Amino acid sequence: MGNISHSFHYFVAIKFQVKLMKTTTYELKVQGFHIDRYGHVNNGRYLEYLEMARWDYIEKIMDPKIAEEKGWNFIVVEINIRYRTPAMFQDMLRIETHMQEPGNVKVQAIQKIYRVTDNKLIANAKVSFVFTSRTTHSPLRIIGDLKEYTLKSQ
Amino acid sequence: MGNISHSFHYFVAIKFQVKLMKTTTYELKVQGFHIDRYGHVNNGRYLEYLEMARWDYIEKIMDPKIAEEKGWNFIVVEINIRYRTPAMFQDMLRIETHMQEPGNVKVQAIQKIYRVTDNKLIANAKVSFVFTSRTTHSPLRIIGDLKEYTLKSQ
Amino acid sequence: MGNISHSFHYFVAIKFQVKLMKTTTYELKVQGFHIDRYGHVNNGRYLEYLEMARWDYIEKIMDPKIAEEKGWNFIVVEINIRYRTPAMFQDMLRIETHMQEPGNVKVQAIQKIYRVTDNKLIANAKVSFVFTSRTTHSPLRIIGDLKEYTLKSQ
Amino acid sequence: MGNISHSFHYFVAIKFQVKLMKTTTYELKVQGFHIDRYGHVNNGRYLEYLEMARWDYIEKIMDPKIAEEKGWNFIVVEINIRYRTPAMFQDMLRIETHMQEPGNVKVQAIQKIYRVTDNKLIANAKVSFVFTSRTTHSPLRIIGDLKEYTLKSQ
């Protein structure tokens, strides 16, 4: 009986986490010039798709004007992307983006690309970025007002 | 008889002009990600090819450091490109670039893209550009030291 | 008095012409990776913008499925583009596209790119294309069902 | 004394491993249209650099014609890339590429991008790919003649 009660609480905790996570969706259509000689979207173009979706996220959730005023640049330091299913000419794609809890200097975006027609997973990626100072180009510790800014994603 | 002698001189003059025109050649290989869904190089990629060849020209003939020091930006204002023969995956291309005599504000680059294996003309383009001031972003009249700079191409 | 009546008829004629021309509008936002080292959209990216807008036109007005079934490829043979005002990061752009009356083998698309906020003209272009056979890769004469197809644009 | 002799053998073994690994180097120059609004090479462009260097590897070490004849497509399934130092306009870059020992279905390319002038590491990447059949689009087990083909990299 104790066990049952325990797993119930666990379930609630998961639901909470999902609710608190801010996720944006961004849609785009595959163009003829995204296709490469194999007839599917070239691996490099997906990074453009992901970047479009991250800026859309930043606009909707984090406000790019604040980063502009503060002189904070968003600089990608690592990308891990897995290609699951090839996307083809004129496919409508939906990209879901959310952010992990910010670290001391890094933030990690989790991005999933789905084909709209059948919700098939096309690719998924983890994109780590830091904030650098526009003047010094050095990475900034995520404290104070920058911490507050990144917590908008949570 | 006077007429014959006259046309002979005219012919010499034309030969001279051709000799004096500085032309650079730039080679590149077609990549898989340049190919679009029709299996040939996408029309937009050719503008990257032309830009690579123009910077190569500027380096070889005009010296980009001078423009950098003077605060002169090379800004494209018009492109006319004709696509003659499709370029395919792994084709070696050769781009020939020369400049027309500079006008009051514009310079026109003449660029031809050939396939190396058979010298077939792939595309030809006229690219007009102006010089703008890095600080004011206004187009500059081609006079004085800027005139001297552009005449390096002749 | 005769003159006034005459110019009235002339005005009506112009209105008719405008009504008959089918124009589509396509919007997109300038991304950070469209920007080049001069801080504005690179000249080559505009050809991607134009291609996106033309496919949007083909979908809305001409039906890409028919061309697919018939084995007609849309092949660009010439582009003339004039860059009027630089587009900057996060500008919203509106592209207006219409087609000229089809010739014997060529169709010409007229495309204008405006900045949405102030209707400033960013660039305008004429893009000539032909139809080639998917099997023979030869250009097709615009007659019969292909003529009928291209006249959808009028 | 036994210990000293032991470490000597160990050293020899490492030297052997290095000799047996086939590595190619590919050089390219950063273009103005590779730069994004932050003034450095955009994260997506590096995937084009890596793809250029992998095809160069395939040409030099593995022979692309064999893959073409056999109907084997090289399909990227995962990329992990770490951006170390920003590359800037007109930097000369050198990309070193080698392949890990092939697995049952996957091969992993190890790629490092250096700035030529000071050998600074710009980015490093692991790129996993599989071979798919051109006709069925299914991944192929790396056995038989495909095994032999991939072992050219060792």
Side-chain angles (χ1 to χ4, degrees), chain C residues 31-67:
Chain C
Q31 301 295 321
F33 53 83
H34 297 159
I35 300 301
D36 69 13
R37 72 176 198 105
Y38 284 135
H40 60 207
V41 174
N42 184 260
N43 63 77
R45 286 285 181 178
Y46 286 94
L47 266 52
E48 294 188 359
Y49 295 175
L50 296 176
E51 188 166 330
M52 290 166 87
R54 285 198 308 279
W55 275 105
D56 181 67
Y57 180 95
I58 290 164
E59 273 176 67
K60 285 175 180 158
I61 310 279
M62 293 176 82
D63 191 350
K65 266 178 248 126
I66 292 174

Side-chain angles (χ1 to χ4, degrees), chain C residues 1-144:
Chain C
M1 258 171 79
N3 276 343
I4 290 165
S5 148
H6 184 69
S7 44
F8 178 75
H9 282 102
Y10 184 65
F11 176 70
V12 169
I14 286 171
K15 271 197 69 176
F16 256 53
Q17 194 188 3
V18 171
K19 259 192 190 156
L20 290 167
M21 191 120 68
K22 289 173 192 165
T23 299
T24 56
T25 64
Y26 182 81
E27 293 202 355
L28 59 85
K29 184 175 246 173
V30 173
Q31 301 295 321
F33 53 83
H34 297 159
I35 300 301
D36 69 13
R37 72 176 198 105
Y38 284 135
H40 60 207
V41 174
N42 184 260
N43 63 77
R45 286 285 181 178
Y46 286 94
L47 266 52
E48 294 188 359
Y49 295 175
L50 296 176
E51 188 166 330
M52 290 166 87
R54 285 198 308 279
W55 275 105
D56 181 67
Y57 180 95
I58 290 164
E59 273 176 67
K60 285 175 180 158
I61 310 279
M62 293 176 82
D63 191 350
K65 266 178 248 126
I66 292 174
E68 199 62 28
E69 282 161 25
K70 297 279 187 181
W72 297 330
N73 288 352
F74 294 81
I75 303 298
V76 172
V77 292
E78 182 168 1
I79 294 178
N80 186 267
I81 179 165
R82 294 190 61 181
Y83 303 94
R84 307 287 187 162
T85 306
M88 313 304 270
F89 181 55
Q90 293 199 307
D91 278 353
M92 276 302 305
L93 302 179
R94 184 185 73 249
I95 307 176
E96 296 186 359
T97 301
H98 71 263
M99 303 283 175
Q100 302 279 58
E101 216 181 320
N104 290 325
V105 286
K106 276 191 218 174
V107 182
Q108 194 170 57
I110 306 295
Q111 301 193 276
K112 286 179 185 147
I113 305 177
Y114 297 94
R115 185 163 55 207
V116 168
T117 46
D118 60 1
N119 280 315
K120 186 112 183 166
L121 183 64
I122 298 296
N124 59 317
K126 287 183 207 168
V127 179
S128 300
F129 58 92
V130 298
F131 294 88
T132 65
S133 154
R134 196 197 297 142
T135 46
T136 69
H137 295 285
S138 300
L140 300 166
R141 291 203 57 195
I142 299 177
I143 50 173

